[in-house]
Amino acid sequence: MIGIEYLIEFFVSLFDAILCVYFISRFNHTPLHPCKNKLSIPAIAVVFIFSVINDLFLSGFNVLGTIIFLCLYISYALLISKKRYIRALLSACIFEIAYVLLSSLLYLIITFIIKDYDQLAQGSVGVFRYVYIIMHKIVLFVVLKILLIAFNQESGTDARLGGVAFVFSFITILGMGSTMYLASIVEAGQIQTQAMIITLSFASANVILYVLIYQMQKYQQSKYELKLLQEKISFEEARHTDAQAIWTNVRKIQHDMKQHLSVLSGYLDKGEVEACQKYIGTLMPSVTGINSLIHSDNIILDYLINSKLGVLRNTKIIISGSIGDLSDIKDIDLVCLMGNALDNAIEAIQRQRGAKEKRIELLFMRQNSNRIIICKNTIEGSVLKNNSELKSTKDTQSESHGLGTKIMAKIVSDYNGIIDYFEEFNMFGVQIVLPDPS
């Protein structure tokens, strides 16, 4: 029995270490996979080793062990925080508080039921100790998942799945609590085996549920990535078509340039300056046709702005500031982020009928170590008041409404940035703040 006792405590400590690193990593928007986060495995190992040491020499709840655990959590959080130190400290403290409070609360409730503290103590072997451990891990996992949804503002689908997990886990807790109560009032040993079977059944059902939820989240993520790929393909096709048209125009101009220069040279030799100027005027439309609103070192941004805003009519376009280095942002993310921002502004402009002025403003700037992009457009009425969820007004399927803003929020979150919507001086705007990774 001693072997089983130590084996159970061993796996409990390992599970706690993994859950700790999982929560802190997700809270700080850091991958858990060892290939992307080289500190995850060492952190799990360190927390696990100290858990074993704590169980051997500082068994039970103790202040020293709690302080050391908190220091370990904070150290890992700060190392992966990417200079977001307040959020790192918050994640470590939240995990420690949730762990201690849930442990104490469950311990009090269960001991009140069974009236025997020794059966729940660490190192004891029996159905009550096992049920307590399983209940604690289920409740802790669900609470941490809900906290991640609340603080990270995950999608509506994640929130619904979290709600399902919470309800199912709540039912599990009630069922396991009832089982413990029955085991405590029936004569010793009569339903110990049945209680253990019921407990393991509840635990297995929860594990299966969490696996299904994980698969559903992967499916939703795949749908999101598919949409990004479709937008990138559409972008590449449009850019290829435009590039072909521009290159054809350039080749035509190059082909005719020799003849044009000969004509101009002839006019100048004869001193016919006015005729020369008139001839140059006839060439201007074909040359200015390849001009653009901006030209920068970022080809993706140049194309998006020139192709989307360059075709607008009766609209004032203002572009100011310095774009800066956006090389750390993937092309596919930049296309979706700026493409959706510009599409929303263009859609708003095109809906206006009686506006005195139609204007779109793009501002690029740096503030401290942040890169800021602001896109504003004129409006006829308050958008945030009449359409607070920022749903699309296009005649599309309802499930696609607001998808653009969700995609933008997800991309900004992936780069540890902030996105905000505002209104000022009859203009609606979106402000995107992206920290400089360097």
Side-chain angles (χ1 to χ4, degrees), residues 142-306:
V142 173
V143 168
L144 294 179
K145 187 65 177 177
I146 292 174
L147 289 172
L148 285 175
I149 293 173
F151 279 91
N152 290 349
Q153 298 181 344
E154 297 184 7
S155 67
T157 301
D158 287 335
R160 288 190 291 272
L161 293 176
V164 171
F166 174 77
V167 172
F168 191 83
S169 298
F170 182 75
I171 295 173
T172 299
I173 298 304
L174 291 179
M176 293 174 68
S178 301
T179 303
M180 292 185 68
Y181 177 72
L182 290 175
S184 67
I185 62 176
V186 178
E187 292 184 12
Q190 285 193 1
I191 64 167
Q192 293 289 315
T193 302
Q194 295 89 329
M196 183 60 70
I197 293 174
I198 294 173
T199 299
L200 292 176
S201 299
F202 273 121
S204 301
N206 275 267
V207 171
I208 293 172
L209 175 66
Y210 298 146
V211 170
L212 290 176
I213 289 177
Y214 174 73
Q215 293 298 326
M216 291 180 67
Q217 289 176 326
K218 285 185 63 177
Y219 171 71
Q220 293 295 330
Q221 179 67 17
S222 298
K223 285 181 62 178
Y224 164 73
E225 292 176 352
L226 177 61
K227 178 172 176 58
L228 294 185
L229 288 174
Q230 289 173 339
E231 289 200 17
K232 184 177 182 182
I233 291 172
S234 176
F235 159 73
E236 293 292 348
E237 289 178 345
R239 188 172 68 171
H240 177 69
T241 302
D242 290 348
Q244 278 191 323
I246 292 173
W247 179 240
T248 300
N249 193 24
V250 170
R251 290 182 61 189
K252 180 178 179 299
I253 293 175
Q254 289 178 338
H255 180 269
D256 297 337
M257 189 58 66
K258 183 177 181 179
Q259 286 76 13
H260 295 319
L261 291 176
S262 297
V263 173
L264 293 174
S265 178
Y267 280 132
L268 292 176
D269 287 342
K270 295 178 182 181
E272 300 178 4
V273 178
E274 292 184 3
C276 180
Q277 291 176 338
K278 184 177 180 180
Y279 190 83
I280 292 175
T282 62
L283 298 177
M284 288 303 295
S286 61
V287 176
T288 57
I290 61 174
N291 286 345
S292 57
L293 293 172
I294 69 166
H295 177 73
S296 69
D297 293 333
N298 194 302
I299 299 175
I300 302 293
L301 209 56
D302 288 353
Y303 172 77
L304 285 172
I305 295 175
N306 294 328

Side-chain angles (χ1 to χ4, degrees), residues 121-157:
Q122 185 173 323
S124 61
V125 179
V127 63
F128 295 110
R129 172 65 181 170
Y130 302 148
V131 172
Y132 166 74
I133 290 173
I134 295 174
M135 289 177 67
H136 179 260
K137 303 315 167 192
I138 291 175
V139 174
L140 181 62
F141 179 80
V142 173
V143 168
L144 294 179
K145 187 65 177 177
I146 292 174
L147 289 172
L148 285 175
I149 293 173
F151 279 91
N152 290 349
Q153 298 181 344
E154 297 184 7
S155 67
T157 301

Side-chain angles (χ1 to χ4, degrees), residues 326 328-329 334 337 365-367 369-373 408 411-419 431-437:
L326 299 175
D328 61 298
I329 303 177
L334 185 59
L337 184 62
M365 60 184 292
R366 292 184 67 89
Q367 191 174 62
S369 60
N370 295 320
R371 296 160 295 178
I372 302 175
I373 302 172
M408 293 171 65
I411 294 173
V412 172
S413 175
D414 288 342
Y415 290 92
N416 299 317
I418 300 173
I419 185 169
Q431 176 175 275
I432 300 167
V433 181
L434 300 171
D436 190 334

Side-chain angles (χ1 to χ4, degrees), residues 350-407:
Q350 291 175 339
R351 289 200 310 269
Q352 299 175 17
R353 294 293 182 263
K356 295 182 180 179
E357 180 187 35
K358 296 181 179 181
R359 186 168 81 256
I360 293 179
E361 297 181 8
L362 272 177
L363 171 63
F364 301 90
M365 60 184 292
R366 292 184 67 89
Q367 191 174 62
N368 299 326
S369 60
N370 295 320
R371 296 160 295 178
I372 302 175
I373 302 172
I374 299 176
C375 179
K376 300 194 295 184
N377 59 269
T378 52
I379 52 176
E380 294 179 312
S382 175
V383 176
L384 296 178
K385 181 178 179 180
N386 301 323
N387 184 15
S388 59
E389 296 183 3
L390 300 178
K391 291 185 177 181
S392 173
T393 58
K394 298 176 183 177
D395 185 18
T396 56
Q397 297 179 354
S398 59
E399 65 179 12
S400 300
H401 284 186
L403 184 58
T405 55
K406 292 179 181 178
I407 291 176

Side-chain angles (χ1 to χ4, degrees), residues 47 50-52 54 64-74 96:
V47 174
F50 181 76
S51 297
V52 174
N54 182 70
L64 178 60
T66 302
I67 294 175
I68 295 176
F69 274 120
L70 182 58
C71 292
L72 292 176
Y73 303 155
I74 291 176
E96 181 72 358

